[in-house]
Coordinates of all heavy atoms in Angstrom, one line a residue:
R1 N 0.8 -1.2 0.0 CA 0.0 0.0 0.0 C 0.9 1.2 0.0 O 0.6 2.2 -0.7 CB -0.9 0.0 1.2 CG -1.9 -1.2 1.2 CD -2.8 -1.2 2.5 NE -3.7 -2.3 2.5 CZ -3.5 -3.5 2.9 NH1 -2.3 -3.8 3.3 NH2 -4.4 -4.4 2.9
L2 N 1.9 1.3 0.8 CA 2.8 2.4 0.9 C 3.5 2.6 -0.5 O 3.7 3.7 -0.9 CB 3.8 2.2 2.0 CG 4.8 3.4 2.2 CD1 4.0 4.7 2.5 CD2 5.7 3.1 3.4
R3 N 3.9 1.5 -1.1 CA 4.6 1.5 -2.4 C 3.6 2.1 -3.4 O 4.0 3.0 -4.2 CB 5.0 0.1 -2.8 CG 5.8 0.1 -4.1 CD 6.5 -1.2 -4.3 NE 5.5 -2.3 -4.4 CZ 5.4 -3.2 -3.5 NH1 6.1 -3.2 -2.4 NH2 4.5 -4.2 -3.6
A4 N 2.4 1.7 -3.5 CA 1.4 2.3 -4.4 C 1.2 3.7 -4.2 O 1.1 4.5 -5.2 CB 0.1 1.5 -4.4
I5 N 1.1 4.1 -2.9 CA 0.9 5.5 -2.6 C 2.1 6.4 -3.1 O 1.9 7.5 -3.6 CB 0.7 5.7 -1.1 CG1 -0.6 5.1 -0.7 CG2 0.8 7.2 -0.7 CD1 -0.8 4.9 0.8
A6 N 3.3 5.8 -2.9 CA 4.5 6.6 -3.3 C 4.6 6.8 -4.8 O 5.0 7.9 -5.2 CB 5.8 5.8 -2.8
V7 N 4.2 5.7 -5.5 CA 4.3 5.8 -7.0 C 3.2 6.8 -7.5 O 3.5 7.7 -8.4 CB 4.1 4.5 -7.6 CG1 4.0 4.6 -9.2 CG2 5.3 3.5 -7.3
E8 N 2.0 6.7 -6.9 CA 1.0 7.7 -7.4 C 1.3 9.1 -7.0 O 1.1 10.0 -7.8 CB -0.3 7.3 -6.7 CG -1.5 8.1 -7.1 CD -2.8 7.7 -6.5 OE1 -2.8 6.6 -5.7 OE2 -3.9 8.3 -6.7
M9 N 1.9 9.3 -5.8 CA 2.3 10.6 -5.4 C 3.5 11.2 -6.3 O 3.6 12.4 -6.5 CB 2.7 10.6 -3.9 CG 2.9 11.9 -3.3 SD 3.1 11.8 -1.5 CE 4.5 10.6 -1.4
A10 N 4.3 10.3 -6.8 CA 5.4 10.7 -7.6 C 4.9 11.4 -8.9 O 5.4 12.4 -9.4 CB 6.3 9.6 -8.0
W11 N 3.9 10.7 -9.5 CA 3.3 11.3 -10.7 C 2.7 12.7 -10.4 O 2.9 13.7 -11.2 CB 2.2 10.4 -11.3 CG 2.7 9.2 -12.0 CD1 2.5 7.9 -11.5 CD2 3.4 9.1 -13.2 NE1 3.1 7.0 -12.4 CE2 3.6 7.7 -13.5 CE3 3.9 10.1 -14.1 CZ2 4.3 7.3 -14.6 CZ3 4.6 9.6 -15.2 CH2 4.8 8.3 -15.4
L12 N 2.0 12.9 -9.3 CA 1.4 14.1 -8.9 C 2.5 15.2 -8.5 O 2.3 16.4 -8.7 CB 0.4 14.0 -7.8 CG -0.9 13.2 -8.1 CD1 -1.7 12.9 -6.9 CD2 -1.7 13.9 -9.2
W13 N 3.6 14.7 -8.0 CA 4.7 15.6 -7.7 C 5.2 16.3 -8.9 O 5.6 17.5 -8.8 CB 5.8 14.8 -7.0 CG 6.9 15.6 -6.4 CD1 8.1 16.0 -7.0 CD2 6.9 16.3 -5.1 NE1 8.8 16.7 -6.1 CE2 8.1 17.0 -5.0 CE3 6.0 16.4 -4.1 CZ2 8.4 17.7 -3.9 CZ3 6.3 17.1 -2.9 CH2 7.5 17.8 -2.9
L14 N 5.3 15.6 -10.0 CA 5.8 16.2 -11.3 C 4.8 17.3 -11.7 O 5.3 18.3 -12.3 CB 5.9 15.1 -12.3 CG 6.9 14.0 -12.1 CD1 6.9 13.0 -13.2 CD2 8.3 14.6 -12.0
R15 N 3.6 17.1 -11.4 CA 2.6 18.2 -11.9 C 2.6 19.4 -10.9 O 2.5 20.5 -11.4 CB 1.2 17.5 -11.9 CG 0.1 18.5 -12.3 CD -1.3 17.9 -12.1 NE -1.5 16.6 -12.8 CZ -2.5 15.9 -12.6 NH1 -3.5 16.3 -11.8 NH2 -2.6 14.7 -13.3
H16 N 2.6 19.1 -9.6 CA 2.4 20.2 -8.7 C 3.8 20.8 -8.2 O 3.8 21.9 -7.6 CB 1.6 19.7 -7.4 CG 0.2 19.3 -7.8 ND1 -0.8 20.2 -8.1 CD2 -0.3 18.1 -7.9 CE1 -1.9 19.5 -8.3 NE2 -1.6 18.3 -8.2
Q17 N 4.8 20.1 -8.3 CA 6.2 20.6 -7.9 C 7.2 20.4 -9.0 O 8.2 19.8 -8.9 CB 6.6 19.8 -6.7 CG 5.7 19.9 -5.5 CD 5.9 21.1 -4.7 OE1 6.7 22.0 -5.1 NE2 5.3 21.2 -3.5
P18 N 6.9 21.1 -10.2 CA 7.8 20.9 -11.3 C 9.2 21.5 -11.2 O 10.1 21.2 -11.9 CB 7.1 21.6 -12.5 CG 6.2 22.6 -11.8 CD 5.8 22.0 -10.5
D19 N 9.4 22.5 -10.2 CA 10.6 23.2 -10.1 C 11.6 22.5 -9.0 O 12.6 23.1 -8.8 CB 10.4 24.6 -9.7 CG 9.5 25.4 -10.7 OD1 9.7 25.1 -11.9 OD2 8.7 26.2 -10.3
T20 N 11.2 21.4 -8.4 CA 12.0 20.8 -7.4 C 13.2 20.1 -8.1 O 13.1 19.7 -9.3 CB 11.2 19.8 -6.6 OG1 10.6 18.8 -7.4 CG2 10.1 20.6 -5.8
A21 N 14.2 19.8 -7.3 CA 15.3 19.1 -7.8 C 14.9 17.6 -8.2 O 15.5 17.1 -9.2 CB 16.4 19.0 -6.7
L22 N 14.0 17.1 -7.5 CA 13.5 15.7 -7.8 C 12.9 15.7 -9.2 O 13.1 14.8 -10.0 CB 12.6 15.2 -6.7 CG 13.2 14.9 -5.4 CD1 12.1 14.5 -4.4 CD2 14.2 13.8 -5.4
A23 N 12.0 16.7 -9.5 CA 11.3 16.7 -10.8 C 12.3 16.9 -11.9 O 12.2 16.3 -13.0 CB 10.3 17.8 -10.8
R24 N 13.3 17.8 -11.7 CA 14.3 18.1 -12.7 C 15.1 16.8 -12.9 O 15.5 16.5 -14.1 CB 15.2 19.2 -12.3 CG 14.5 20.6 -12.2 CD 15.5 21.7 -12.2 NE 16.4 21.6 -11.0 CZ 16.2 22.2 -9.9 NH1 15.0 22.9 -9.7 NH2 17.0 22.1 -8.9
W25 N 15.5 16.1 -11.9 CA 16.2 14.8 -12.0 C 15.4 13.8 -12.9 O 16.0 13.2 -13.8 CB 16.5 14.2 -10.7 CG 17.1 12.8 -10.7 CD1 18.4 12.5 -10.8 CD2 16.4 11.6 -10.7 NE1 18.6 11.2 -10.9 CE2 17.4 10.6 -10.8 CE3 15.1 11.2 -10.6 CZ2 17.0 9.2 -10.8 CZ3 14.7 9.9 -10.6 CH2 15.7 8.9 -10.7
Y26 N 14.1 13.7 -12.7 CA 13.3 12.8 -13.5 C 13.3 13.2 -14.9 O 13.5 12.3 -15.8 CB 11.9 12.8 -12.9 CG 10.9 12.1 -13.8 CD1 10.7 10.7 -13.7 CD2 10.1 12.8 -14.8 CE1 9.8 10.0 -14.5 CE2 9.2 12.1 -15.6 CZ 9.1 10.7 -15.4 OH 8.2 10.0 -16.2
H27 N 13.1 14.5 -15.2 CA 13.0 14.9 -16.7 C 14.4 14.7 -17.3 O 14.4 14.4 -18.5 CB 12.5 16.3 -16.7 CG 11.1 16.5 -16.3 ND1 10.0 15.9 -16.9 CD2 10.5 17.3 -15.3 CE1 8.9 16.2 -16.4 NE2 9.2 17.0 -15.4
Q28 N 15.4 15.0 -16.6 CA 16.8 14.9 -17.2 C 17.0 13.4 -17.6 O 17.6 13.1 -18.6 CB 17.8 15.4 -16.3 CG 17.8 16.9 -16.2 CD 18.8 17.4 -15.1 OE1 19.4 16.6 -14.4 NE2 18.8 18.7 -14.9
R29 N 16.6 12.5 -16.7 CA 16.9 11.1 -16.9 C 16.1 10.6 -18.0 O 16.5 9.7 -18.8 CB 16.6 10.3 -15.6 CG 17.1 8.9 -15.6 CD 17.0 8.3 -14.2 NE 17.6 6.9 -14.2 CZ 18.8 6.6 -14.0 NH1 19.7 7.6 -13.8 NH2 19.2 5.4 -14.0
V30 N 14.8 11.0 -18.1 CA 14.0 10.6 -19.2 C 14.5 11.1 -20.6 O 14.5 10.4 -21.6 CB 12.5 11.0 -19.0 CG1 11.6 10.8 -20.2 CG2 11.9 10.3 -17.8
R31 N 15.0 12.3 -20.6 CA 15.5 12.9 -21.8 C 16.8 12.1 -22.2 O 17.1 11.9 -23.4 CB 15.8 14.3 -21.7 CG 14.6 15.3 -21.8 CD 15.1 16.7 -22.0 NE 15.8 17.2 -20.8 CZ 15.3 17.8 -19.8 NH1 14.0 18.0 -19.7 NH2 16.1 18.2 -18.8
R32 N 17.5 11.7 -21.2 CA 18.8 11.0 -21.5 C 18.6 9.6 -22.0 O 19.2 9.1 -23.0 CB 19.6 10.9 -20.3 CG 21.0 10.2 -20.4 CD 21.7 10.2 -19.1 NE 23.0 9.4 -19.2 CZ 23.8 9.1 -18.2 NH1 23.4 9.6 -17.0 NH2 24.9 8.4 -18.4
F33 N 17.6 8.8 -21.4 CA 17.5 7.4 -21.8 C 16.2 7.2 -22.6 O 16.0 6.0 -23.0 CB 17.3 6.6 -20.5 CG 18.6 6.5 -19.7 CD1 18.7 7.3 -18.6 CD2 19.7 5.8 -20.1 CE1 19.9 7.3 -17.8 CE2 20.8 5.7 -19.3 CZ 21.0 6.5 -18.2
G34 N 15.4 8.2 -22.9 CA 14.3 8.0 -23.8 C 13.0 7.9 -23.1 O 12.9 7.5 -21.9
P35 N 11.9 8.2 -23.7 CA 10.6 8.2 -23.1 C 10.1 6.8 -22.7 O 9.2 6.7 -21.8 CB 9.6 8.8 -24.1 CG 10.3 8.6 -25.4 CD 11.8 8.7 -25.1

């Protein structure tokens, strides 16, 4: 349950907190390795 909550919250974090270091790390990694 905690794992599912964390994954769901990660998607929402990208939407509501796009300027955080965590969100930037995600977008940089996706750009590097592909969608």
Side-chain angles (χ1 to χ4, degrees):
R1 296 177 180 86
L2 183 59
R3 182 167 62 253
I5 292 167
V7 173
E8 184 178 356
M9 190 170 55
W11 287 113
L12 293 175
W13 188 264
L14 297 175
R15 180 191 303 175
H16 297 286
Q17 300 279 6
D19 299 326
T20 57
L22 292 175
R24 292 196 301 269
W25 173 86
Y26 171 83
H27 292 301
Q28 291 171 1
R29 193 170 182 86
V30 170
R31 282 195 297 269
R32 178 182 176 185
F33 295 101

